[in-house]
C-alpha cells in the first residue's frame, strides 16, 4: 500500500479538519508527533505547526471541541474497524444530492492535497465524484496522467458522463488524459474484446493495471436505489441483477453483499477496467455516503481493499453499527 503524502503545507494550516485530526491523535490518543506525521502523510514540522495553530485558534483547550470531534471520532473508529489508512467523515445526513455535494466537497479537498508529481490517477464516475470538482484546487503538478476507468454515455443530455469527469479533472491539473472512448455498455462480450484489442484501448487497460491512485464511488442497487447505472441498463437487466443478489454498483460492476461479482451476462458487456485491476492500484480512494449505501460501501471495501474512505456521518454510523 502506498502511503499518500500531503505536500501543500500552506493549505494544510488552513484545513480545520486536518488540524483537529492531528489534535485528536495527539491529545486523546497519545500518539507521538512522529507517529501522527506518518499517519497523516505530512512532515513532523507540519504536525507541530498544526498543533500550535489549533491552540491559537482555541480549537484545542483541554478538550477537542465537541461537534467536529464527533466526526473525528467516527473516522478514527472506521480506520480501526475496517483497516483503513484514512477515513474522512463529513457531518450530517442529507438527501441524495446533498450527500453527493458534501462528500464530494471533502473528496475534492482531499485530492487537492494528495495528487503528486508523476502520479497516474484512475477515476470512476458518479454524482459524488462530479461534485468534487467544485472544491478541487490543486497546486501545480508535473507529469500527472488521468486514466478513465469506464466508457462514456452516448446521450448528449446526460447530466454526468464518465469521460467528461476524467477530462475536467485532467484539465484542472494540466495533465495528460487517457479516455476510454467507447460506449459504457456494448452488445456482446466479443464486441468488448474487439474494441480493446483492435481499437487502441489496450494501452489504457494496461496502464490501469499500474495506478498510483484510483478514485472510485459506489451506488446502492436496491429496488429504490440511486445507482447511476439504473439510468443506462434495461428494466429487465435491473430486475434480473436484483435476483442474483446484487447490492452494489461499483464502476458498473455489480457485487453481492460479500463483494463478489454476481453472475450476470451484462458483466461481460460493460466497457470498464476490471475491479481486479483497480485492486492493484497503490492507493484506492472510495467516496460514497448516505445511510442506504452502507451495504454497497461494505461490498466495495471487501472487493477492492480500499485504503481511504470519504463518507458522511450517516454512513459512518451505519458501518459502525451505531444505528
Amino acid at each position: 500500500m502506498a502511503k499518500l503524502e500531503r505536500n501543500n503545507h500552506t493549505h494544510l494550516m488552513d484545513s480545520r479538519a486536518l488540524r483537529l485530526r492531528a489534535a485528536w491523535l495527539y491529545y486523546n490518543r497519545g500518539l507521538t508527533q512522529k507517529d501522527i506525521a506518518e499517519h497523516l502523510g505530512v512532515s513532523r514540522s507540519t504536525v507541530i505547526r498544526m498543533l500550535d495553530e489549533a491552540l491559537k485558534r482555541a480549537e484545542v483547550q483541554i478538550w477537542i471541541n465537541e461537534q467536529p470531534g464527533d466526526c473525528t471520532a467516527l473516522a478514527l473508529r472506521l480506520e480501526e474497524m475496517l483497516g483503513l489508512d484514512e477515513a474522512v467523515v463529513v457531518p450530517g445526513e442529507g438527501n441524495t444530492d446533498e450527500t453527493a455535494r458534501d462528500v464530494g466537497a471533502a473528496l475534492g479537498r482531499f485530492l487537492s492535497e494528495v495528487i503528486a508529481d508523476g502520479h497516474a490517477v484512475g477515476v470512476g464516475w458518479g454524482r459524488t465524484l462530479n461534485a468534487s470538482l467544485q472544491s478541487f484546487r490543486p497546486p501545480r503538478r508535473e507529469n500527472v496522467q488521468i486514466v478513465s476507468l469506464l466508457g462514456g454515455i452516448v446521450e448528449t443530455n446526460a447530466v454526468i458522463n464518465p469521460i467528461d469527469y476524467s477530462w475536467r479533472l485532467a484539465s484542472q491539473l494540466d495533465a495528460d488524459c487517457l479516455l476510454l472512448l467507447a460506449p459504457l455498455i456494448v452488445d456482446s462480450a466479443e464486441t468488448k474484446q474487439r474494441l480493446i484489442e483492435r481499437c487502441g484501448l489496450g494501452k489504457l487497460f494496461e496502464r490501469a493495471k499500474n495506478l498510483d491512485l484510483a478514485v472510485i464511488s459506489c451506488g446502492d442497487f436496491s429496488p429504490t436505489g440511486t445507482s447511476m447505472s439504473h439510468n443506462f441498463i434495461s428494466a429487465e437487466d435491473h430486475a434480473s441483477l436484483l435476483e442474483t443478489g446484487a447490492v452494489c454498483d461499483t464502476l458498473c460492476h455489480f457485487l453481492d453483499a460479500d463483494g463478489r461479482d454476481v453472475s450476470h451476462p451484462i458483466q461481460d458487456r460493460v466497457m470498464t477496467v476490471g475491479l481486479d485491476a483497480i485492486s492493484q492500484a497503490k492507493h484506492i480512494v472510495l467516496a460514497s455516503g448516505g445511510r442506504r449505501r452502507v451495504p454497497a460501501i461494505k461490498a466495495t471495501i471487501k472487493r477492492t481493499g480500499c485504503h481511504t474512505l470519504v463518507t458522511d456521518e450517516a454512513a459512518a454510523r451505519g458501518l459502525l453499527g451505531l444505528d
Side-chain angles (χ1 to χ4, degrees), residues 148-165:
S148 180
L149 299 178
L150 68 170
I153 300 165
V154 176
E155 294 88 344
T156 57
N157 62 346
V159 176
I160 300 172
N161 196 317
I163 289 177
D164 181 55
Y165 176 74

Side-chain angles (χ1 to χ4, degrees), residues 7-8 112-113 115-117 138-144 173-174:
N7 298 305
N8 189 357
S112 299
E113 297 171 0
I115 294 178
D117 291 345
R140 183 174 179 82
R141 295 296 183 213
E142 301 290 340
N143 301 318
V144 174
L173 285 161
D174 195 23

